Amino acid sequence: MGGFYGSVHIRTEDRSPIQAAVEALAKKTKRQFLIGPALGGWVSVYPDGNGQDEATAHVLAASVPAHLIYVLVHDDDVLVYQYFSGGSRIDQFNSSPDYFGAVSEQDQEQSRGDPALLRPLLTAGHSVDELTALLAPNDDNEVTFESERLARFAELLGLPNAVTAYEYLMAGETDDIVGWDDFIHVPDRSAEKARHAALAKEERAEKAKLRAARILLFEKTGSQRPIETVAWCSAGGGSDFVFTMVSMATGQRRPLFHIGPSWNLDAAALTIELAGPVQEMCGTSTGRYLAIAYAGGTWKSEVWDLQQARKVLEIARESHSSCRITISADERAVVTCSDNNIAIDSIADGRRLASFPANANYSIPCSHPSGMAVVGDGSGKLRIFDIAQVRLLKTLGIGKLLHEAGHNQRMVAKLREELLNFDKGPFREAMEKGLRSAGKRFNEPPLTNEQGRKALEQAGYVFHADGSLDVERTVDNRLTRQRQQLAEMARNAEEAANRPGIESSAFRGSELPYSLACSGDGRWLCVGTDQALRVFRWEEVLSASDVTPMAASSVPIERTIMRSAFGSMTMPSFLTGLTVDDERSCVLFGSGEGIWSLQLSSGDTTLLRSIGGGFRVDKLALSTDRTCLGVTVVALPDAHHSRPGPEAFQVWDYDAHLRGRAS
């Protein structure tokens, strides 16, 4: 998916009349805008909706009869500009006039643009010939992405901050924006910001009280830019946890910290050296083993013996394949779930005990005390594996079964069609253009980061001996890979669709699982779905066929309504954080409101701890000794941030402050 950029640039040094016109437009249309400061003789306006609606340009041109340029890039496929002067449009350009539908020859002719009309707006040292060449490129100066052409167009005319849009700016992508501190938001948000600041101050004061009272024992929040997530688990016995901050954007290695009763970060990091960005970690109930699943260029998993401080198992997997991991209750095997494979490996000798195809876009595992493993997947199914006998016992749809035979037949047909046609000339040409553009970033200077280069080679890139990108061989390599992948996908899809009964991909469950947990005594299986928390009796799960039995307890998950910069947003509902307190016979789970407890005997729910508005609990786990509760908290989009914020890892005193409420 390419970029969507749209902005209006008015030739003036006085922002006041522009602001007045935009405020009137915002009041009338209930839309949102950003206005930049006067830079190089231009004032820039950024309408919401990525500036894709040209109506704003027409209204402002009529209100402020100065030179005005409206620029638009749509999905990096189309560049549009419109030039107004004296309130009238006198020139327009569209790099692909029939992109949105067939247009007449007259419209196509009118969309060619007349660079000579823009002569008065060119910056010193640039000519109409340069603009003409840019708008009618040949093989020597053809661009791959229209945002590249927009950047060059803006340079010729001196348009400031052109390759951006309202949504990108509001999402915090402002590092390269000139004069960002002087931007104005319309409508004015001063009162809203003041309320936001006051609430943030109250929240900081409340957390300080909780820390002073030894209720909130520890908190570590990731950075905002680039946004960091956190990977953690209980490990090593007692109340201890291990955690690491993760930034897929940078791919940097981060230390693995061991946090315990002192609850400070002055303690040294563990002797374990992480191989790359961590996707997930899992500890065992005895505290002996730690399993780590990597991503972001490091496509493998590891199992460490914490008592002996050594790595005992390394499991490779396919490139660009996410992974979830769990260790069996008897600590003899590890179950890894990647995008297309569920594997069981022996910890003692590293043998691959079994491998099963994954029939969905994700799978999540958990271990049952009996020695079995439960895997939920994106097709709404639970699969029960007997690890000791290394076999699949059964598959159950969650909720109801939905038949999708027609969908699967269409998918197989589409894959076969792509398999036959993907090596056509236009496809190869487009790939070569994109790689040449990417190659400039690799070659100037040549790529020297060894880890980065290995990640690219795993993805199919081929380099010359001097480190520069070999475009032709890379294209051939990637075409071969894609042909093989499409053929494998078609075979798997057809095989799954023809598989009998519930194992067929023609069936899916009506609810999608996002978290799993089993009680320590093995009586309960808890499933967090996109609709509810479901608690099943394990014996009924084992005796069920085709679909899950009726849940012993259920808690519906309410959708969260967030007030954002773009109006009210309904956040998707899904439950990703849950754990079981066996001693108190309750399930702890998270929501947009905070941390809850569900009593298994009665089905009653209790709010244990509110986390404040605008946040969601994403993960919960008790320490090995059940005295502390680890939590992942995510800041949701709001009027100030259009995307989820960084994650925070918190440790709460569960034994002294929360446990009584859970009973």
Side-chain angles (χ1 to χ4, degrees), residues 473-486:
R473 289 174 62 200
T474 297
V475 169
D476 290 339
N477 189 17
R478 294 182 72 183
L479 287 174
T480 299
R481 285 188 175 205
Q482 288 194 21
R483 183 181 293 109
Q484 294 171 345
Q485 290 171 357
L486 283 170

Side-chain angles (χ1 to χ4, degrees), residues 37-337:
L39 296 170
W42 293 96
V43 171
S44 304
V45 178
Y46 304 87
D48 61 8
N50 290 89
Q52 300 293 295
D53 184 357
E54 67 180 52
T56 299
H58 288 268
V59 172
L60 293 181
S63 303
V64 186
H67 294 295
L68 182 149
I69 297 285
Y70 167 59
V71 291
L72 162 75
V73 164
H74 183 87
D75 204 15
D76 253 318
D77 290 333
V78 183
L79 169 66
V80 172
Y81 80 71
Q82 295 185 16
Y83 171 37
F84 297 79
S85 184
S88 300
R89 186 174 65 189
I90 61 175
D91 189 33
Q92 59 182 326
F93 170 82
N94 188 324
S95 63
S96 182
D98 56 356
Y99 182 87
F100 299 103
V103 298
S104 66
E105 291 186 10
Q106 180 181 1
D107 288 337
Q108 291 196 26
E109 186 64 29
Q110 290 177 345
S111 297
R112 297 184 187 279
D114 185 352
L117 295 174
L118 297 174
R119 186 190 304 273
L121 304 180
L122 290 170
T123 57
H126 293 299
S127 67
V128 171
D129 290 342
E130 291 178 89
L131 188 56
T132 301
L134 178 69
L135 300 181
N138 54 34
D139 292 338
D140 294 330
N141 61 2
E142 189 171 359
V143 296
T144 303
F145 304 109
E146 290 298 340
S147 56
E148 298 175 4
R149 180 148 48 172
L150 171 58
R152 178 60 177 159
F153 180 80
E155 179 185 356
L156 294 176
L157 274 66
L159 306 179
N161 303 319
V163 188
T164 188
Y166 177 90
E167 279 71 15
Y168 296 106
L169 295 170
M170 293 298 292
E173 298 182 15
T174 58
D175 288 346
D176 298 324
I177 300 301
V178 179
W180 171 245
D181 291 340
D182 294 323
F183 272 57
I184 297 171
H185 190 279
V186 177
D188 179 60
R189 294 165 56 224
S190 300
E192 180 185 348
K193 287 184 176 180
R195 288 193 299 271
H196 182 79
L199 289 172
K201 184 177 180 179
E202 290 178 8
E203 181 184 337
R204 290 193 298 270
E206 177 64 19
K207 283 187 176 180
K209 292 179 181 178
L210 292 170
R211 285 192 290 268
R214 302 285 292 177
I215 298 174
L216 178 59
L217 301 173
F218 177 79
E219 182 176 40
K220 174 65 176 177
T221 302
S223 68
Q224 178 69 39
R225 286 183 283 176
I227 287 180
E228 287 184 322
T229 59
V230 61
W232 62 273
C233 66
S234 59
S239 59
D240 297 7
F241 293 87
V242 293
F243 78 93
T244 183
M245 307 310 295
V246 182
S247 174
M248 295 297 182
T250 62
Q252 295 178 347
R253 295 188 186 186
R254 306 294 175 89
L256 179 64
F257 289 101
H258 180 189
I259 198 80
S262 65
W263 305 117
N264 63 67
L265 266 185
D266 295 335
L270 285 177
T271 55
I272 296 174
E273 182 178 355
L274 298 176
V278 175
Q279 181 170 8
E280 185 174 77
M281 293 193 293
C282 170
T284 57
S285 59
T286 65
R288 178 178 181 181
Y289 290 110
L290 173 66
I292 305 172
Y294 295 101
T298 306
W299 310 108
K300 66 177 181 178
S301 302
E302 298 173 343
V303 177
W304 287 76
D305 187 324
L306 296 181
Q307 294 177 358
Q308 300 181 21
R310 67 183 183 93
K311 181 168 61 177
V312 295
L313 179 61
E314 182 170 305
I315 306 167
R317 67 178 189 275
E318 291 185 10
S319 299
H320 298 274
S321 176
S322 62
C323 183
R324 304 292 292 272
I325 192 165
T326 192
I327 296 176
S328 63
D330 60 10
E331 299 186 345
R332 294 182 178 180
V334 59
V335 180
T336 53
C337 299

Side-chain angles (χ1 to χ4, degrees), residues 525-548:
L525 170 64
C526 307
V527 184
T529 77
D530 59 341
Q531 298 182 28
L533 166 63
R534 309 289 188 195
V535 180
F536 302 103
R537 291 183 175 85
W538 179 249
E539 60 183 18
E540 294 180 0
V541 171
L542 290 183
S543 61
S545 58
D546 292 340
V547 296
T548 51

Side-chain angles (χ1 to χ4, degrees), residues 280-282 291 293 322-328 334-338 341-344 362-368 372-377 381-383 385 387 513-518 525-526:
E280 185 174 77
M281 293 193 293
C282 170
S322 62
C323 183
R324 304 292 292 272
I325 192 165
T326 192
I327 296 176
S328 63
V334 59
V335 180
T336 53
C337 299
S338 59
N341 184 61
I342 300 170
I344 304 175
Y362 70 87
S363 299
I364 52 173
C366 81
S367 298
H368 190 270
M372 298 184 190
V374 183
V375 175
D377 65 34
K381 298 175 187 176
L382 296 178
R383 307 175 79 185
F385 295 90
I387 296 179
Y514 285 92
S515 53
L516 301 171
C518 295
L525 170 64
C526 307

